[in-house]
Amino acid sequence: MNSPLLEPYRGPALHLPNRTAMAAMTRARADDATGAPIPLMAEYYAQRATAGLIVSEGIWPHRLGKGGPGVPGLTGQAHVEGWRRVTRAVHDAGGRVFAQLWHVGRVSHPDILGGEQPVAPSAVAVSPGHGQIYTASGPQEYVVPRALTTAEVTETVEAHASAARNAIDAGFDGVEISGAYGYLLAQFLSDNANLRTDGYGDHVRFVIEVVEAVAAAIGADRTALRVSPGNPLLDTVETDPASRYHRLLDALNGMDLAYLHVVQSGKYAALADLRPRWNGTLVATYDGPEPGSREQAEQALRTGLADVYSFGRLFLANPDLPRRIADDAPLNPQRASGMYGGGGEGYVDYPVLAGSSVGPAPGSDIR
Ligand SMILES: Cc1cc2nc3c(=O)[nH]c(=O)nc-3n(C[C@H](O)[C@H](O)[C@H](O)COP(=O)(O)O)c2cc1C
């Protein structure tokens, strides 16, 4: 069946065989003591290599950026070697994969950080009523984080650049910086988590510096940013998302990044507002209680709101999603078990259609 999702994409920097990306999804299967990826992760990603682009699960770029048990890192040699197995498996299967750098800031816990206190723009905790933090001993209340000193903010910017270099060393095709969903960069962007009185009280400055540092380290054409404007997740409030993100885009527009990834959820119509203001490639995700659908994705492409659409849960349960779109085939439902942590169950055992195999996406000759 004809679908704009299956058309190739040729952006200024990004060339994809189809417009179906796999969104970053934390699956919590790395070695918890070291943060090194395990071989099963290579199998999982290679199974999904027919995506136009895979974005890896969130990966901590600094030891204090880790947000839960089994979340992988990208700060040391063991991480690079583990990820190299993953990227090789994806490339051998014909795919492309970006690493998502994900510093969680205050959304962590001393039990996750080897006894250290989580860090944040300001010493403001996620308030009660916004869930709990999952640790190896079960869910716990959020703690009050420690405000990063100005020197530590610089160190954290540098940590992103260093992890990005490691990502390229490990064979990733690029890096997507997580600025979405209430984590460290989104905490800086927010009005209630960033009460700083130094230069980083300017809510967009940290994000811009991280993007600049990563782009300087690995090239702007391999650097991407994910944002979720107006998303109140994890107790972050942006009272006027339009003006904040206009300012951010004004600063990023000249940089020629690989792409900007916009998650639309909540009240602010981010895609309609930001698309006309963004000069480069735009990847979109709609986030709501139900998984983003093929119909929503096709509509976003047809109306020009996005160049590429990124699916999370549908790719989790359907390793051969582009083929299923091409064949108009039914989709596997997602199972509750195995979402976070565990072994292969609910991870590498989702069935593919008969005749599907990992390999270049339908109709693809572009790499
Ligand atoms: C199991 C799971 C883990 C996720 N982990 C991440 C993550 O590490 N980084 C991120 O930016 N988003 C993460 N997300 C959000 C997804 O990338 C996506 O934006 C969201 O699921 C909405 O898309 P969907 O409706 O297609 O699933 C996660 C979602 C799921 C379901």
Side-chain angles (χ1 to χ4, degrees):
M1 198 206 200
N2 246 352
S3 168
L5 286 163
L6 300 178
E7 287 169 13
Y9 178 68
R10 270 195 175 275
L14 202 65
H15 295 176
L16 306 177
N18 64 59
R19 293 162 185 252
T20 308
M22 171 169 153
M25 281 181 288
T26 292
R27 305 304 305 275
R29 281 160 170 90
D31 176 64
D32 190 46
T34 63
I38 60 167
L40 192 64
M41 291 162 62
E43 186 181 340
Y44 164 75
Y45 284 108
Q47 287 177 342
R48 288 156 178 79
T50 56
L53 177 68
I54 294 173
V55 182
S56 79
E57 63 208 279
I59 307 173
W60 35 277
H62 184 284
R63 68 176 201 289
L64 295 178
K66 183 180 176 187
V71 177
L74 203 34
T75 60
Q77 204 45 37
H79 302 143
V80 170
E81 278 156 26
W83 283 116
R84 203 171 275 144
R85 276 195 293 272
V86 173
T87 62
R88 198 172 291 146
V90 171
H91 290 152
D92 286 351
R96 294 137 300 278
V97 55
F98 272 40
Q100 189 184 65
L101 299 185
W102 180 45
H103 192 310
V104 299
R106 65 181 184 169
V107 188
S108 191
H109 191 277
D111 285 4
I112 296 167
L113 301 177
E116 292 189 73
Q117 195 181 356
V119 294
S122 304
V124 179
V126 177
S127 52
H130 291 270
Q132 292 178 304
I133 176 85
Y134 185 78
T135 71
S137 56
Q140 300 200 47
E141 298 305 318
Y142 286 103
V143 298
V144 178
R146 177 172 73 73
L148 289 162
T149 64
T150 306
E152 284 175 321
V153 175
T154 307
E155 187 205 315
T156 309
V157 170
E158 278 312 310
H160 281 81
S162 165
R165 269 184 228 107
N166 287 341
I168 298 304
D169 193 15
F172 281 105
D173 298 294
V175 160
E176 179 182 283
I177 301 158
S178 163
Y181 285 129
Y183 298 103
L184 184 67
L185 274 68
Q187 290 157 31
F188 273 92
L189 284 166
S190 83
D191 293 297
N192 61 336
N194 180 357
L195 308 176
R196 294 184 74 93
T197 50
D198 65 3
Y200 294 99
D202 173 345
H203 295 88
V204 297
R205 177 166 163 193
F206 178 69
V207 177
I208 293 168
E209 287 190 11
V210 169
V211 174
E212 281 174 344
V214 169
I218 64 167
D221 58 340
R222 296 196 284 199
T223 302
L225 174 68
R226 189 178 212 203
V227 290
S228 56
N231 187 317
L233 203 75
L234 294 166
D235 194 21
T236 45
V237 176
E238 291 165 352
T239 40
D240 183 6
S243 70
R244 186 140 307 157
Y245 286 86
H246 293 175
R247 231 159 50 77
L248 181 63
L249 264 57
D250 287 347
L252 300 179
N253 253 328
M255 289 190 203
D256 298 325
L257 299 179
Y259 63 87
L260 177 72
H261 190 162
V262 176
V263 179
Q264 177 156 315
S265 55
K267 294 190 196 99
Y268 169 52
L271 284 169
D273 189 37
L274 299 180
R275 166 79 273 192
R277 293 172 182 269
W278 178 241
N279 294 340
T281 299
L282 197 142
V283 179
T285 306
Y286 289 110
D287 194 357
E290 294 300 317
S293 68
R294 169 190 181 155
E295 291 71 26
Q296 282 177 306
E298 290 176 340
Q299 178 75 1
L301 296 184
R302 285 204 178 100
T303 54
L305 285 181
D307 300 303
V308 174
Y309 189 85
S310 169
F311 294 97
R313 287 162 283 184
L314 292 191
F315 252 120
L316 189 158
N318 296 275
D320 55 351
L321 184 61
R323 161 85 193 278
R324 286 175 193 255
I325 291 169
D327 290 6
D328 213 5
L331 299 176
N332 297 323
Q334 190 188 329
R335 283 177 259 139
S337 68
M339 188 141 87
Y340 298 109
E345 198 199 328
Y347 189 52
V348 292
D349 60 353
Y350 280 100
V352 296
L353 295 174
S356 272
S357 61
V358 291
S364 147
D365 62 351
I366 299 175
R367 157 114 178 82

